[in-house]
Amino acid sequence: MNEEFKKTLKSSETEDWLDLHVVRPFCYYWALLFARLDIHPNTVTILSMIIGAASAIFYGCASFYYNGMEGLMFNIIAILMLCLADIFDCTDGQLARMTGKKSRLGRILDGAAGFTWFIPIYHAMTYRFYLHHELEFQWLGIADTPENVLIATAIVYALGIASGFMGIAGQQRLADYYIQVHLFFLKGEKGSELDNSKYQQEIYDQMTSETPWYERSFQKSYIDYTKKQEASTPQFQRLLAKLRSKFGSLDAIPQQIRDEFRANSLPVIKWNGLLTFNFRSAWLFLFCLLDVPAVYFVWEIVGMGLLYLYVNHRHEAFCRKMADKL
């Protein structure tokens, strides 16, 4: 791992094995190409959004069981497009660190990328169930009548909404926050992108009518995003408040406390990585290839939901202990 490549990473501690050894090195060469072409990181993020959202077209009509090789090819195309979207989503950050072209809008766009991908994908998966549901109906002993199809599709759509709110909106939002928290205690404020809703609200309040509408809109949604991160982590917020009160500034936190936090956080970060794209999308790809994409919604709600609770509990538990000691 050369030094130039290392400089484009947030930290090797917050990357899972696949990202660190496969995805990130691949993205590094993309970043070199985009830097040579003088392409802005935000442009790469938007390209990622377009590719990821467009993959929904193929997810909606991909089925080997029902459409043979054509359906299998659509599945593979959908998977490859979403992987490419993720590669570009990783590349934008490495490109920003490589070129120094970091921006508040870039941070907000990066957080919104997953929503842009999965909202149309989840709708496409629901439509796919509406078209092809014989397997599920056979397993559950449901008669394949028009009325039952509409009822079942409505249930799957409701599961998709719940899955989206709990999965991408909840689980990945928390995972991203814990990564930035870990980086803050590891590298300090300049080495992380740890945001808070109060400061983001101040930025929004200072915007004028001359500020582009899309920037105001993204900023407003980002305020809500950070508020939900804070609401999910009351013990961590309590720890931050105590640290500010005792040391006056978060930058003045003694190294001993930073080291203690890192030692507690590092094992949690390993589990936290399972809430991010690689592990989550592997299950999505599996269920789509098995021609039961609706089952993914159940997995994301139950399986990934339990993992979310475990990660959140462990992180909050050590934050409570550290706050009690101060």
Side-chain angles (χ1 to χ4, degrees):
M1 192 184 299
N2 65 56
E3 290 302 316
E4 292 303 314
F5 169 63
K6 285 183 181 179
K7 290 177 183 177
T8 68
L9 300 178
K10 294 177 182 177
S11 167
S12 59
E13 291 186 1
T14 56
E15 304 284 355
D16 63 29
W17 186 92
L18 184 63
D19 271 336
L20 185 60
H21 296 282
V22 179
V23 178
R24 289 296 184 179
F26 188 54
C27 293
Y28 174 68
Y29 291 105
W30 274 107
L32 287 174
L33 175 62
F34 289 137
R36 182 169 296 181
L37 296 174
D38 196 28
I39 295 175
H40 197 279
N42 290 355
T43 304
V44 180
T45 308
I46 293 170
L47 183 60
S48 161
M49 291 177 170
I50 293 170
I51 294 171
S55 71
I57 298 170
F58 297 93
Y59 278 108
C61 53
S63 171
F64 176 70
Y65 181 81
Y66 299 101
N67 297 326
M69 288 304 297
E70 181 183 27
L72 178 61
M73 287 304 300
F74 282 166
N75 251 326
I76 292 172
I77 291 170
I79 289 169
L80 291 177
M81 287 181 70
L82 189 54
C83 287
L84 182 60
D86 178 61
I87 286 169
F88 282 0
D89 187 46
C90 293
T91 299
D92 61 5
Q94 288 178 257
L95 179 62
R97 287 183 284 275
M98 180 186 293
T99 60
K101 295 178 180 178
K102 299 180 182 180
S103 66
R104 184 180 69 255
L105 180 59
R107 168 66 178 146
I108 297 172
L109 283 173
D110 191 53
F115 296 95
T116 308
W117 303 340
F118 285 101
I119 288 174
I121 288 174
Y122 283 15
H123 279 85
M125 289 167 63
T126 303
Y127 176 68
R128 177 171 165 176
F129 175 83
Y130 172 75
L131 294 177
H132 306 301
H133 48 263
E134 287 87 345
L135 278 174
E136 292 89 340
F137 275 29
Q138 286 175 15
W139 295 343
L140 298 173
I142 300 173
D144 193 358
T145 64
E147 294 80 8
N148 286 343
V149 171
L150 289 175
I151 293 170
T153 301
I155 292 172
V156 169
Y157 186 69
L159 286 172
I161 292 174
S163 177
F165 277 107
M166 294 177 67
I168 303 304
Q171 297 160 10
Q172 283 207 178
R173 180 175 59 225
L174 184 76
D176 178 63
Y177 191 56
Y178 281 158
I179 288 171
Q180 300 308 326
V181 166
H182 186 85
L183 289 172
F184 174 79
F185 280 88
L186 178 66
K187 295 185 171 184
E189 189 172 4
K190 292 183 179 179
S192 78
E193 296 171 341
L194 183 61
D195 292 322
N196 64 78
S197 58
K198 182 179 179 182
Y199 177 64
Q200 296 305 316
Q201 184 66 55
E202 289 173 358
I203 292 174
Y204 180 77
D205 291 341
Q206 291 171 8
M207 290 180 171
T208 66
S209 58
E210 296 179 358
T211 305
W213 67 267
Y214 58 84
E215 191 169 344
R216 294 199 305 272
S217 177
F218 275 122
Q219 183 63 30
K220 190 157 186 145
S221 66
Y222 194 56
I223 294 168
D224 181 62
Y225 183 82
T226 53
K227 281 183 177 178
K228 288 177 178 176
Q229 288 178 324
E230 292 161 358
S232 300
T233 56
Q235 292 302 322
F236 173 68
Q237 304 308 319
R238 176 170 165 254
L239 174 60
L240 277 186
K242 284 203 167 190
L243 289 170
R244 285 194 187 97
S245 175
K246 186 167 185 176
F247 302 108
S249 167
L250 293 180
D251 287 332
I253 298 173
Q255 189 60 44
Q256 181 181 355
I257 293 179
R258 291 182 180 275
D259 291 342
E260 181 184 357
F261 187 95
R262 175 179 172 273
N264 284 298
S265 174
L266 197 54
V268 181
I269 285 294
K270 303 303 180 185
W271 288 98
N272 187 69
L274 298 180
L275 293 173
T276 57
F277 178 83
N278 292 338
F279 187 71
R280 181 183 306 277
S281 61
W283 287 100
L284 172 65
F285 300 159
L286 175 64
F287 287 124
C288 283
L289 288 169
L290 291 175
D291 283 316
V292 286
V295 178
Y296 173 76
F297 296 151
V298 178
W299 163 252
E300 190 166 51
I301 294 168
V302 179
M304 298 294 289
L306 289 173
L307 178 61
Y308 167 91
L309 292 174
Y310 174 72
V311 170
N312 187 229
H313 172 74
R314 282 194 61 175
H315 201 279
E316 286 286 277
F318 81 74
C319 285
R320 181 186 298 109
K321 289 180 181 178
M322 289 188 67
D324 289 344
K325 285 166 51 179
L326 289 173

